[in-house]
Amino acid sequence: MSIPVAVDELAEALAPFADAFLMTTDPSTVPARVKVVSVRPVLDDGVLVVTAPGRGSLANAGANPVVTVLWPPVEEGGMSLIVDGDAEVRDGGLRVCPTGGVLHRPAGEGHGA
């Protein structure tokens, strides 16, 4: 089950979440490998600010700015929040401009199961 989240609704959707996972891709590998790191993004004027995600993530985002941030469910059977965006490397961190989002729960879990 997926519920689209418009970019202008992101602040409300983010309210219950804290820790997330940042996914970047390393375009120097064939096939490109996904790098996943734990982060705690903060929404600032419509942009997700990720402080110090690590050198590998910064290098990946510098080479390929398309990233995904995933907040896992805060409770059993809850929904994850997945946000795609375009990242800019700045001051040792990332500024991610969201391009879309979705609240997601695997089919058959939670309500209506």
Side-chain angles (χ1 to χ4, degrees), residues 7-111:
V7 172
D8 63 347
E9 298 170 342
L10 192 53
E12 183 179 341
L14 276 169
F17 297 98
D19 295 323
F21 297 99
L22 170 69
M23 290 168 262
T24 60
T25 55
D26 180 353
S28 71
T29 60
V30 177
R33 293 192 175 265
V34 175
K35 179 174 184 66
V36 180
V37 296
S38 181
V39 295
R40 187 170 276 193
V42 174
L43 189 64
D44 180 20
D45 200 24
V47 175
L48 292 168
V49 178
V50 180
T51 305
R55 289 186 307 214
S57 296
L58 291 172
N60 290 350
N64 178 6
V66 177
V67 302
T68 297
V69 184
L70 164 70
W71 287 263
V74 293
E75 59 188 37
E76 178 123 6
M79 299 187 94
S80 297
L81 175 61
I82 305 166
V83 175
D84 295 322
D86 296 318
E88 175 187 3
V89 177
R90 189 187 294 177
D91 300 325
L94 294 177
R95 293 183 55 83
V96 179
C97 182
T99 57
V102 64
L103 287 165
H104 178 76
R105 178 185 309 117
E109 292 190 19
H111 299 292

